[in-house]
Coordinates of all heavy atoms in Angstrom, one line a residue:
M1 N 87.1 67.0 117.2 CA 88.5 67.4 117.2 C 88.8 68.2 118.4 O 88.0 69.0 118.8 CB 88.7 68.2 115.9 CG 90.2 68.5 115.7 SD 90.6 69.4 114.2 CE 89.9 68.3 112.9
N2 N 89.9 67.9 119.0 CA 90.3 68.6 120.2 C 91.1 69.9 119.9 O 91.5 70.1 118.8 CB 91.0 67.7 121.2 CG 92.3 67.2 120.7 OD1 93.0 67.9 119.9 ND2 92.7 66.0 121.1
I3 N 91.3 70.7 120.9 CA 92.0 72.0 120.7 C 93.4 71.8 120.2 O 94.0 72.6 119.4 CB 92.0 72.8 122.0 CG1 92.3 74.3 121.7 CG2 92.9 72.3 123.1 CD1 91.3 75.0 121.0
K4 N 94.1 70.7 120.7 CA 95.5 70.5 120.2 C 95.5 70.2 118.7 O 96.4 70.8 118.1 CB 96.0 69.2 121.0 CG 97.4 68.9 120.6 CD 97.9 67.6 121.4 CE 99.3 67.3 121.1 NZ 99.7 66.1 121.8
D5 N 94.6 69.4 118.2 CA 94.6 69.2 116.8 C 94.2 70.5 116.0 O 94.8 70.7 114.9 CB 93.6 68.1 116.5 CG 94.0 66.7 117.0 OD1 95.2 66.5 117.2 OD2 93.1 65.9 117.3
E6 N 93.3 71.3 116.5 CA 92.9 72.5 115.9 C 94.1 73.4 115.7 O 94.4 74.0 114.7 CB 91.8 73.2 116.7 CG 90.5 72.5 116.7 CD 89.7 72.6 115.4 OE1 90.0 73.5 114.6 OE2 88.7 71.9 115.3
V7 N 94.9 73.6 116.8 CA 96.0 74.5 116.8 C 97.1 73.9 115.9 O 97.7 74.7 115.1 CB 96.6 74.7 118.2 CG1 97.9 75.5 118.2 CG2 95.6 75.5 119.1
K8 N 97.3 72.6 115.9 CA 98.3 72.0 114.9 C 97.9 72.3 113.5 O 98.8 72.6 112.7 CB 98.4 70.5 115.2 CG 99.2 70.1 116.3 CD 99.2 68.5 116.4 CE 100.1 68.0 117.4 NZ 100.2 66.6 117.4
I9 N 96.6 72.2 113.2 CA 96.2 72.5 111.8 C 96.4 73.9 111.4 O 96.9 74.3 110.4 CB 94.7 72.1 111.6 CG1 94.6 70.5 111.7 CG2 94.1 72.6 110.3 CD1 93.2 70.0 111.8
M10 N 96.1 74.8 112.4 CA 96.3 76.2 112.1 C 97.7 76.6 111.9 O 98.1 77.3 111.0 CB 95.7 77.1 113.3 CG 94.2 77.0 113.4 SD 93.4 78.1 114.5 CE 94.3 78.0 116.0
L11 N 98.6 76.0 112.8 CA 100.0 76.2 112.6 C 100.5 75.7 111.3 O 101.3 76.4 110.6 CB 100.8 75.5 113.8 CG 100.8 76.2 115.1 CD1 101.3 75.3 116.2 CD2 101.5 77.5 115.1
F12 N 100.1 74.5 110.9 CA 100.6 73.9 109.7 C 100.1 74.8 108.5 O 100.9 75.0 107.5 CB 100.0 72.5 109.5 CG 100.4 71.8 108.3 CD1 101.7 71.3 108.1 CD2 99.6 71.7 107.2 CE1 102.1 70.7 107.0 CE2 100.0 71.1 106.0 CZ 101.2 70.6 105.9
S13 N 98.9 75.3 108.5 CA 98.4 76.1 107.4 C 99.1 77.4 107.2 O 99.2 77.9 106.1 CB 96.9 76.3 107.6 OG 96.7 77.3 108.6
K14 N 99.7 77.9 108.3 CA 100.5 79.1 108.3 C 102.0 78.9 108.2 O 102.8 79.8 108.1 CB 100.2 80.0 109.5 CG 98.8 80.4 109.6 CD 98.3 81.2 108.4 CE 96.8 81.6 108.6 NZ 96.3 82.5 107.6
G15 N 102.4 77.6 108.2 CA 103.8 77.3 108.1 C 104.6 77.7 109.3 O 105.8 78.1 109.2
M16 N 104.0 77.6 110.5 CA 104.7 78.1 111.7 C 104.8 76.9 112.7 O 104.0 76.0 112.7 CB 103.8 79.2 112.3 CG 104.4 79.8 113.5 SD 103.4 81.1 114.3 CE 103.5 82.4 113.1
T17 N 105.9 77.0 113.4 CA 106.1 76.0 114.5 C 105.5 76.4 115.8 O 105.3 77.6 116.0 CB 107.6 75.7 114.7 OG1 108.2 76.8 115.2 CG2 108.3 75.3 113.3
L18 N 105.4 75.5 116.7 CA 104.9 75.8 118.1 C 105.9 76.7 118.8 O 105.5 77.6 119.5 CB 104.7 74.5 118.9 CG 103.8 74.6 120.1 CD1 102.5 75.2 119.8 CD2 103.7 73.3 120.8
T19 N 107.2 76.5 118.5 CA 108.3 77.4 119.1 C 108.1 78.8 118.6 O 108.2 79.8 119.4 CB 109.6 76.8 118.7 OG1 109.8 75.5 119.2 CG2 110.8 77.7 119.3
E20 N 107.8 79.0 117.3 CA 107.6 80.4 116.8 C 106.4 81.0 117.4 O 106.4 82.2 117.7 CB 107.5 80.3 115.3 CG 108.8 79.9 114.6 CD 108.6 79.6 113.1 OE1 107.6 79.0 112.7 OE2 109.5 80.1 112.3
L21 N 105.3 80.2 117.5 CA 104.1 80.7 118.1 C 104.4 81.1 119.6 O 103.9 82.2 120.0 CB 103.0 79.6 118.1 CG 101.7 80.0 118.7 CD1 101.1 81.2 118.1 CD2 100.8 78.8 118.7
A22 N 105.1 80.3 120.3 CA 105.4 80.7 121.7 C 106.2 82.0 121.8 O 105.9 82.8 122.7 CB 106.2 79.5 122.3
R23 N 107.1 82.2 120.9 CA 107.9 83.4 120.9 C 107.0 84.6 120.6 O 107.1 85.6 121.3 CB 109.1 83.3 119.8 CG 110.0 84.5 119.9 CD 111.2 84.4 118.9 NE 110.7 84.5 117.6 CZ 110.7 83.6 116.6 NH1 111.2 82.4 116.9 NH2 110.2 83.8 115.4
K24 N 106.1 84.5 119.6 CA 105.2 85.6 119.3 C 104.3 85.9 120.5 O 104.0 87.0 120.8 CB 104.5 85.3 118.0 CG 105.3 85.4 116.8 CD 104.6 85.3 115.6 CE 105.5 85.4 114.4 NZ 105.1 86.3 113.4
M25 N 103.8 84.8 121.1 CA 102.9 85.0 122.3 C 103.6 85.7 123.4 O 103.1 86.6 124.1 CB 102.4 83.7 122.8 CG 101.4 83.1 121.8 SD 100.8 81.4 122.3 CE 99.8 81.9 123.7
T26 N 104.9 85.4 123.6 CA 105.7 86.1 124.6 C 105.9 87.6 124.3 O 105.8 88.4 125.2 CB 107.1 85.4 124.8 OG1 106.9 84.0 125.2 CG2 108.0 86.1 125.7
E27 N 106.2 87.8 123.0 CA 106.3 89.2 122.6 C 105.1 90.1 122.8 O 105.1 91.2 123.2 CB 106.7 89.3 121.1 CG 108.1 88.8 120.8 CD 108.4 88.6 119.3 OE1 107.5 89.1 118.5 OE2 109.4 88.1 118.9
I28 N 103.9 89.5 122.5 CA 102.7 90.2 122.6 C 102.2 90.4 124.0 O 101.8 91.5 124.4 CB 101.6 89.5 121.8 CG1 101.8 89.6 120.3 CG2 100.2 90.0 122.1 CD1 100.9 88.7 119.4
S29 N 102.3 89.3 124.8 CA 101.8 89.4 126.1 C 102.8 89.8 127.2 O 102.4 90.3 128.3 CB 101.3 88.0 126.5 OG 102.4 87.1 126.7
G30 N 104.1 89.7 127.0 CA 105.0 90.0 128.0 C 105.2 88.9 129.0 O 106.0 88.9 129.9
K31 N 104.4 87.8 128.8 CA 104.4 86.7 129.7 C 105.3 85.6 129.0 O 105.3 85.5 127.8 CB 103.0 86.1 129.9 CG 102.9 85.0 130.8 CD 101.4 84.6 131.0 CE 101.3 83.3 131.8 NZ 99.9 82.9 131.9
N32 N 106.0 84.8 129.8 CA 107.0 83.9 129.2 C 106.2 82.6 128.7 O 105.7 81.8 129.5 CB 108.1 83.5 130.2 CG 109.1 82.6 129.6 OD1 109.4 82.7 128.3 ND2 109.8 81.8 130.4
Y33 N 106.2 82.4 127.4 CA 105.6 81.2 126.8 C 106.8 80.5 126.1 O 107.5 81.0 125.4 CB 104.6 81.5 125.7 CG 103.2 82.0 126.3 CD1 103.0 83.3 126.5 CD2 102.3 81.0 126.7 CE1 101.7 83.7 127.1 CE2 101.1 81.4 127.3 CZ 100.8 82.8 127.4 OH 99.6 83.2 128.0
S34 N 106.9 79.2 126.4 CA 107.8 78.3 125.7 C 107.1 77.3 124.9 O 105.9 77.0 125.1 CB 108.8 77.7 126.7 OG 108.0 76.8 127.5
Q35 N 107.9 76.6 124.0 CA 107.3 75.5 123.3 C 106.7 74.4 124.2 O 105.7 73.9 124.0 CB 108.3 75.0 122.3 CG 107.8 73.8 121.4 CD 108.0 72.5 122.1 OE1 108.8 72.2 122.9 NE2 107.1 71.5 121.7
S36 N 107.5 74.1 125.2 CA 107.1 73.0 126.1 C 105.9 73.4 127.0 O 105.0 72.6 127.2 CB 108.3 72.6 127.1 OG 108.7 73.7 127.8
L37 N 105.8 74.7 127.4 CA 104.6 75.1 128.1 C 103.3 75.0 127.2 O 102.3 74.5 127.6 CB 104.8 76.6 128.6 CG 103.6 77.2 129.3 CD1 103.2 76.5 130.6 CD2 103.8 78.7 129.5
L38 N 103.4 75.5 126.0 CA 102.3 75.5 125.1 C 101.9 74.0 124.8 O 100.7 73.7 124.8 CB 102.6 76.2 123.8 CG 102.4 77.7 123.8 CD1 102.7 78.3 122.4 CD2 101.0 78.1 124.2
S39 N 102.9 73.2 124.6 CA 102.7 71.8 124.3 C 101.9 71.1 125.4 O 101.0 70.4 125.3 CB 104.0 71.1 124.0 OG 103.7 69.7 123.7
H40 N 102.4 71.4 126.7 CA 101.7 70.9 127.9 C 100.3 71.4 128.0 O 99.4 70.6 128.3 CB 102.5 71.3 129.1 CG 102.0 70.8 130.4 ND1 102.0 69.5 130.8 CD2 101.3 71.5 131.4 CE1 101.4 69.4 132.0 NE2 101.0 70.6 132.3
K41 N 100.1 72.7 127.8 CA 98.7 73.3 127.9 C 97.8 72.6 126.8 O 96.6 72.4 127.1 CB 98.7 74.8 127.7 CG 99.2 75.5 128.9 CD 99.3 77.0 128.6 CE 99.5 77.8 129.8 NZ 98.3 78.2 130.5
L42 N 98.3 72.4 125.6 CA 97.5 71.8 124.6 C 97.2 70.3 124.9 O 96.0 69.9 124.7 CB 98.2 71.9 123.2 CG 98.3 73.3 122.6 CD1 99.2 73.3 121.5 CD2 96.9 73.8 122.3
A43 N 98.1 69.6 125.4 CA 97.9 68.2 125.7 C 97.0 68.0 126.9 O 96.2 67.1 126.9 CB 99.3 67.5 126.1
D44 N 97.0 68.9 127.8 CA 96.1 68.8 129.0 C 94.8 69.6 128.9 O 94.0 69.6 129.8 CB 96.9 69.4 130.3 CG 98.0 68.5 130.8 OD1 98.1 67.4 130.3 OD2 98.7 69.0 131.6
N45 N 94.6 70.2 127.7 CA 93.4 71.0 127.5 C 93.3 72.1 128.6 O 92.2 72.3 129.1 CB 92.1 70.1 127.5 CG 92.0 69.3 126.2 OD1 92.3 69.8 125.1 ND2 91.7 68.0 126.3
S46 N 94.4 72.7 128.9 CA 94.3 73.7 129.9 C 94.6 75.1 129.4 O 95.0 76.0 130.1 CB 95.3 73.4 131.1 OG 96.7 73.3 130.6
L47 N 94.5 75.3 128.0 CA 94.7 76.5 127.4 C 93.6 77.5 127.8 O 92.4 77.1 127.7 CB 94.7 76.3 125.9 CG 95.3 77.4 125.0 CD1 96.8 77.6 125.3 CD2 95.0 77.1 123.6
R48 N 93.9 78.7 128.2 CA 92.8 79.6 128.5 C 92.2 80.2 127.3 O 92.8 80.3 126.2 CB 93.4 80.8 129.3 CG 93.9 80.3 130.7 CD 94.5 81.5 131.4 NE 94.9 81.1 132.8 CZ 95.6 81.8 133.6 NH1 95.8 83.1 133.2 NH2 95.9 81.4 134.7
Y49 N 91.0 80.7 127.4 CA 90.3 81.3 126.3 C 91.1 82.5 125.8 O 91.2 82.7 124.6 CB 88.9 81.8 126.7 CG 88.1 82.4 125.6 CD1 87.7 81.7 124.5 CD2 87.8 83.8 125.7 CE1 87.0 82.3 123.5 CE2 87.1 84.4 124.7 CZ 86.6 83.7 123.6 OH 85.9 84.3 122.6
T50 N 91.7 83.3 126.7 CA 92.4 84.5 126.3 C 93.7 84.1 125.5 O 94.1 84.8 124.5 CB 92.9 85.4 127.5 OG1 93.6 84.5 128.4 CG2 91.7 86.0 128.1
E51 N 94.3 82.9 125.8 CA 95.4 82.4 125.1 C 95.0 82.0 123.7 O 95.7 82.2 122.7 CB 96.1 81.3 125.9 CG 96.7 81.8 127.2 CD 97.2 80.7 128.1 OE1 96.5 79.6 128.2 OE2 98.2 80.9 128.8
M52 N 93.9 81.3 123.6 CA 93.4 80.9 122.3 C 93.1 82.0 121.4 O 93.3 82.0 120.2 CB 92.2 80.0 122.5 CG 91.7 79.3 121.2 SD 93.0 78.2 120.6 CE 92.4 77.9 118.9
K53 N 92.5 83.1 122.0 CA 92.2 84.3 121.2 C 93.5 84.9 120.7 O 93.6 85.3 119.6 CB 91.5 85.4 122.1 CG 90.0 85.0 122.3 CD 89.2 86.0 123.0 CE 89.8 87.3 123.5 NZ 88.9 88.2 124.3
M54 N 94.6 84.9 121.5 CA 95.9 85.4 121.1 C 96.5 84.6 120.0 O 97.0 85.1 119.0 CB 96.8 85.5 122.3 CG 98.2 86.1 122.0 SD 99.4 86.3 123.3 CE 98.8 85.4 124.7
I55 N 96.4 83.2 120.1 CA 96.8 82.3 119.1 C 96.1 82.6 117.8 O 96.7 82.7 116.7 CB 96.7 80.9 119.5 CG1 97.6 80.5 120.6 CG2 96.8 79.9 118.3 CD1 97.4 79.2 121.3
C56 N 94.8 82.7 117.8 CA 94.0 83.0 116.6 C 94.4 84.4 116.0 O 94.5 84.5 114.8 CB 92.5 83.0 116.9 SG 91.9 81.3 117.2
K57 N 94.6 85.4 116.8 CA 95.1 86.7 116.3 C 96.4 86.6 115.6 O 96.6 87.1 114.5 CB 95.1 87.7 117.5 CG 95.5 89.1 117.0 CD 95.5 90.1 118.1 CE 95.8 91.4 117.6 NZ 95.8 92.5 118.7
I58 N 97.4 85.9 116.2 CA 98.7 85.7 115.6 C 98.6 85.0 114.3 O 99.3 85.3 113.3 CB 99.6 84.9 116.6 CG1 99.9 85.8 117.8 CG2 100.9 84.5 115.9 CD1 100.6 85.1 119.0
L59 N 97.8 84.0 114.2 CA 97.7 83.1 113.0 C 96.7 83.6 112.0 O 96.5 83.0 111.0 CB 97.4 81.7 113.5 CG 98.5 81.0 114.3 CD1 98.0 79.6 114.8 CD2 99.8 80.9 113.6
G60 N 95.9 84.7 112.3 CA 95.0 85.2 111.4 C 93.6 84.5 111.3 O 93.0 84.4 110.3
Y61 N 93.2 83.9 112.5 CA 91.9 83.3 112.6 C 91.0 84.0 113.5 O 91.5 84.8 114.3 CB 92.1 81.8 113.1 CG 92.7 80.9 112.1 CD1 94.1 80.7 112.0 CD2 91.9 80.1 111.3 CE1 94.6 79.9 111.1 CE2 92.4 79.2 110.4 CZ 93.8 79.1 110.3 OH 94.4 78.2 109.4
R62 N 89.7 83.7 113.5 CA 88.8 84.3 114.4 C 88.0 83.1 115.1 O 87.9 82.1 114.5 CB 87.7 85.1 113.6 CG 88.3 86.4 113.0 CD 87.2 87.2 112.4 NE 87.7 88.3 111.8 CZ 87.0 89.2 111.0 NH1 85.7 88.9 110.8 NH2 87.5 90.2 110.5
I63 N 87.6 83.4 116.3 CA 86.8 82.4 117.0 C 85.3 82.8 116.8 O 85.0 84.0 117.1 CB 87.2 82.4 118.5 CG1 88.6 82.0 118.7 CG2 86.2 81.5 119.3 CD1 89.1 82.1 120.1
Y64 N 84.5 81.9 116.5 CA 83.1 82.1 116.4 C 82.4 81.1 117.3 O 82.7 80.0 117.4 CB 82.6 81.8 115.0 CG 83.0 82.8 113.9 CD1 84.1 82.6 113.1 CD2 82.3 84.0 113.8 CE1 84.5 83.5 112.2 CE2 82.7 84.9 112.9 CZ 83.8 84.7 112.1 OH 84.2 85.6 111.2
I65 N 81.4 81.7 118.0 CA 80.6 80.8 119.0 C 79.2 80.8 118.4 O 78.6 81.8 118.2 CB 80.6 81.4 120.4 CG1 82.0 81.5 120.9 CG2 79.7 80.6 121.3 CD1 82.2 82.2 122.2
D66 N 78.7 79.6 118.2 CA 77.4 79.3 117.6 C 76.6 78.7 118.6 O 76.9 77.6 119.1 CB 77.6 78.5 116.3 CG 76.3 78.3 115.6 OD1 75.4 79.2 115.7 OD2 76.2 77.3 114.8
I67 N 75.5 79.3 119.0 CA 74.6 78.7 120.0 C 73.6 77.7 119.3 O 73.0 78.0 118.3 CB 73.7 79.9 120.6 CG1 74.7 80.8 121.4 CG2 72.7 79.3 121.6 CD1 74.0 82.0 121.9
D68 N 73.6 76.6 119.9 CA 72.7 75.5 119.4 C 71.3 75.7 119.9 O 71.1 75.5 121.1 CB 73.3 74.1 119.8 CG 72.5 73.0 119.2 OD1 71.4 73.2 118.6 OD2 72.9 71.8 119.4
E69 N 70.5 76.3 119.1 CA 69.1 76.7 119.6 C 68.3 75.4 120.0 O 67.4 75.6 120.8 CB 68.4 77.5 118.5 CG 69.1 78.8 118.4 CD 68.3 79.8 117.4 OE1 67.1 79.4 117.1 OE2 68.8 80.8 117.1
I70 N 68.6 74.3 119.4 CA 67.8 73.1 119.8 C 68.0 72.8 121.2 O 67.1 72.4 122.0 CB 68.2 71.9 118.9 CG1 67.8 72.2 117.4 CG2 67.6 70.6 119.4 CD1 68.3 71.2 116.4
Q71 N 69.3 72.8 121.7 CA 69.6 72.5 123.1 C 69.0 73.6 124.1 O 68.8 73.3 125.2 CB 71.1 72.4 123.3 CG 71.7 71.2 122.7 CD 73.2 71.0 122.9 OE1 73.8 71.9 123.6 NE2 73.7 70.0 122.4
L72 N 68.8 74.8 123.5 CA 68.2 75.8 124.4 C 66.7 75.8 124.4 O 66.0 76.6 125.1 CB 68.6 77.2 123.9 CG 70.1 77.5 124.0 CD1 70.4 78.9 123.3 CD2 70.5 77.6 125.4
G73 N 66.1 74.8 123.7 CA 64.6 74.7 123.7 C 63.9 75.6 122.8 O 62.8 75.9 123.0
R74 N 64.6 76.2 121.8 CA 64.0 77.1 120.9 C 63.7 76.5 119.5 O 64.2 75.6 119.1 CB 64.9 78.3 120.6 CG 65.1 79.1 121.9 CD 66.0 80.3 121.6 NE 66.3 81.0 122.8 CZ 67.3 81.8 123.0 NH1 68.1 82.0 122.0 NH2 67.5 82.4 124.1

């Protein structure tokens, strides 16, 4: 699953639109986020990690990173 689908699922589960998310991101960061900008970033997979952290915070999710020990040779 790609990041666009993940964010869509998170938005749907919270009953929020991309426009509402953009408005909250603007309020929190002071940077101008619009629905079209977020849509473009999601479609192009150009969302920054800090932006994804902010989205998760707004929507009540956490990001977990799980290291695959097999790939590390452990």
Side-chain angles (χ1 to χ4, degrees):
M1 186 176 303
N2 62 31
I3 195 73
K4 181 179 181 180
D5 293 335
E6 294 282 348
V7 172
K8 281 184 175 182
I9 290 168
M10 292 188 317
L11 284 169
F12 181 78
S13 74
K14 299 298 180 175
M16 185 182 287
T17 65
L18 197 58
T19 302
E20 292 170 320
L21 177 62
R23 187 178 69 247
K24 288 186 182 229
M25 289 176 73
T26 298
E27 289 171 7
I28 289 171
S29 69
K31 184 177 174 183
N32 187 26
Y33 285 95
S34 66
Q35 179 274 332
S36 60
L37 175 65
L38 278 182
S39 183
H40 179 73
K41 284 178 169 272
L42 291 169
D44 288 349
N45 288 318
S46 62
L47 195 68
R48 293 180 180 173
Y49 179 68
T50 55
E51 292 168 327
M52 189 60 194
K53 284 183 4 183
M54 184 175 14
I55 289 169
C56 288
K57 183 176 181 178
I58 291 167
L59 297 175
Y61 287 87
R62 291 184 183 171
I63 297 174
Y64 290 97
I65 298 173
D66 186 22
I67 297 173
D68 186 353
E69 292 187 11
I70 294 170
Q71 289 183 1
L72 294 175
R74 295 183 184 157

